């Protein structure tokens, strides 16, 4: 396996496919780099070098007790980029991965970054707060963490139809739901609980101010997990050089349900 060891002694697994200008993909919760396989193949075949990694605690990476905060996630990305000596990168983050890449830019700058894409991302703010009346409230996340500890497998089984919008009529295969469960159970329950706290409670508005490179924001307008009005719409308004593409009727998991459209939109963006 391709792994590198971080400065705090955590092994991070990554895939590195193709040759050309690099595209680095950061996955969503509770998945792994494998969620990107279709996009990785398409982008690599189009002439890009595509790197996807398993976040610490997820997939095939180490499962440390701590480090499940966005500063550390961003530093893990910075160390992977340095390990591979990447430059002129397009960073792509899905869901909680949008927070990873935004915090990376805020902490490490844009010297190595060409552009950035936020897909169904939790940025700029996910959880309701006094100055942000959107998204789930704190009680929801408290309940989620308790449920994960009690019966994580059933939480993931129940979550998958909402994630992919099957409960709203999206055509999603049983295989896609099974893979969602498989990838979710590969990770550490500790990582999934702590990461839920991180993506719920982190305010990325200061990070948005640091993003000056061209950005692509894609969001489904039927996202039942990360509602568009409080995340994608606001992120696009805050970024100085952003394209916003709204997928009508799309759920959170549009990387599967709108795979061909997403691939085409990413390739259009990469050619800019």
């Amino acid at each position: 396996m391709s792994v590198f060891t971080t400065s705090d002694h955590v092994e991070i697994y990554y895939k590195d496919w193709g040759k050309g200008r690099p595209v680095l993909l950061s996955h969503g919760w509770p998945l792994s780099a494998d969620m990107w396989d279709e996009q990785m193949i398409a982008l690599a075949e189009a002439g890009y070098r595509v790197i996807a990694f398993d976040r610490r605690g997820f997939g095939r990476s180490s499962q440390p007790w701590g480090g499940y905060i966005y500063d550390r996630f961003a530093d893990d990305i910075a160390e992977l980029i340095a390990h591979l000596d990447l430059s002129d990168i397009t960073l792509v983050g899905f869901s909680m991965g949008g927070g990873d890449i935004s915090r990376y830019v805020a902490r490490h700058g844009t010297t190595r970054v060409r552009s950035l894409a936020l897909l169904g991302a939790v940025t700029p703010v996910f959880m309701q707060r006094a100055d942000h009346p959107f998204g789930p409230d704190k009680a929801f996340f408290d309940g989620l963490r308790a449920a994960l500890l009690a019966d994580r497998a059933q939480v993931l089984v129940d979550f998958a139809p909402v994630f992919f919008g099957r409960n709203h009529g999206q055509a999603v295969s049983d295989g896609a739901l099974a893979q969602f469960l498989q990838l979710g159970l590969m990770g550490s329950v500790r990582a999934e609980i702590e990461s839920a706290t991180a993506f719920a409670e982190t305010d990325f508005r200061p990070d948005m101010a640091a993003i000056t490179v061209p950005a692509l924001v894609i969001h489904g307008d039927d996202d039942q997990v990360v509602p568009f009005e409080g995340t994608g719409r606001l992120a696009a308004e805050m970024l100085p050089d952003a394209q916003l593409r709204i997928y009508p009727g799309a759920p959170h998991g549009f990387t599967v349900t709108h795979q061909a459209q997403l691939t085409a939109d990413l390739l259009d963006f990469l050619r800019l």
Side-chain angles (χ1 to χ4, degrees):
M1 294 199 307
S2 297
V3 297
F4 85 100
T5 303
T6 67
S7 58
D8 65 341
H9 312 296
V10 173
E11 289 190 338
I12 300 292
Y13 168 87
Y14 64 94
K15 304 178 182 187
D16 187 351
W17 295 358
K19 296 180 180 179
R21 201 171 74 234
V23 181
L24 190 146
L25 307 168
S26 183
H27 66 81
W29 183 100
L31 304 170
S32 73
D34 290 353
M35 71 158 281
W36 295 114
D37 278 358
E38 291 80 6
Q39 287 78 35
M40 289 191 72
I41 289 172
L43 297 184
E45 288 179 342
Y48 295 93
R49 179 182 179 185
V50 193
I51 300 101
F53 65 96
D54 291 351
R55 187 180 293 104
R56 61 172 55 217
F58 292 77
R60 290 139 294 199
S61 291
S62 297
Q63 298 186 1
W65 180 251
Y68 302 110
I69 59 173
Y70 272 98
D71 282 357
R72 184 63 249 184
F73 296 150
D75 292 350
D76 289 347
I77 290 175
E79 292 176 17
L80 174 59
I81 287 171
H83 174 74
L84 297 175
D85 194 23
L86 304 177
S87 59
D88 202 25
I89 313 163
T90 295
L91 300 171
V92 181
F94 171 72
S95 195
M96 79 168 289
D100 293 354
I101 63 171
S102 299
R103 182 58 53 88
Y104 166 83
V105 169
R107 282 176 69 80
H108 299 280
T110 57
T111 302
R112 293 177 179 262
V113 179
R114 176 190 183 94
S115 56
L116 176 147
L118 299 173
L119 312 182
V122 298
T123 50
V125 185
F126 187 12
M127 188 175 75
Q128 287 183 26
R129 54 182 69 208
D131 61 349
H132 183 78
F134 305 97
D137 60 15
K138 185 176 184 300
F140 171 83
F141 290 106
D142 290 343
L144 173 61
R145 289 187 290 263
L148 288 167
L149 190 58
D151 191 349
R152 174 174 58 150
Q154 190 60 49
V155 169
L156 298 179
V157 167
D158 293 341
F159 183 43
V162 178
F163 187 95
F164 292 114
R166 185 187 251 192
N167 64 328
H168 282 191
Q170 286 288 340
V172 184
S173 71
D174 291 340
L177 300 185
Q179 185 191 38
F180 182 90
L181 176 62
Q182 176 194 35
L183 298 186
L185 291 176
M186 284 176 66
S188 155
V189 67
R190 165 75 176 177
E192 290 173 10
I193 290 170
E194 293 298 301
S195 294
T197 298
F199 63 66
E201 298 184 1
T202 301
D203 185 343
F204 295 101
R205 285 175 288 195
D207 303 274
M208 297 290 98
I211 298 172
T212 57
V213 295
L216 173 66
V217 178
I218 301 178
H219 220 104
D221 69 4
D222 191 32
D223 190 327
Q224 303 167 74
V225 179
V226 182
F228 168 64
E229 292 298 331
T231 53
R233 184 179 295 282
L234 294 179
E237 291 172 356
M238 295 179 72
L239 298 174
D241 186 7
Q243 300 179 36
L244 172 62
R245 300 195 181 182
I246 303 169
Y247 288 1
H252 190 55
F254 62 76
T255 55
V256 170
T257 62
H258 292 61
Q259 182 186 127
Q261 184 177 359
L262 174 60
T263 298
D265 286 341
L266 286 174
L267 286 171
D268 284 347
F269 181 64
L270 288 167
R271 294 185 186 112
L272 295 178

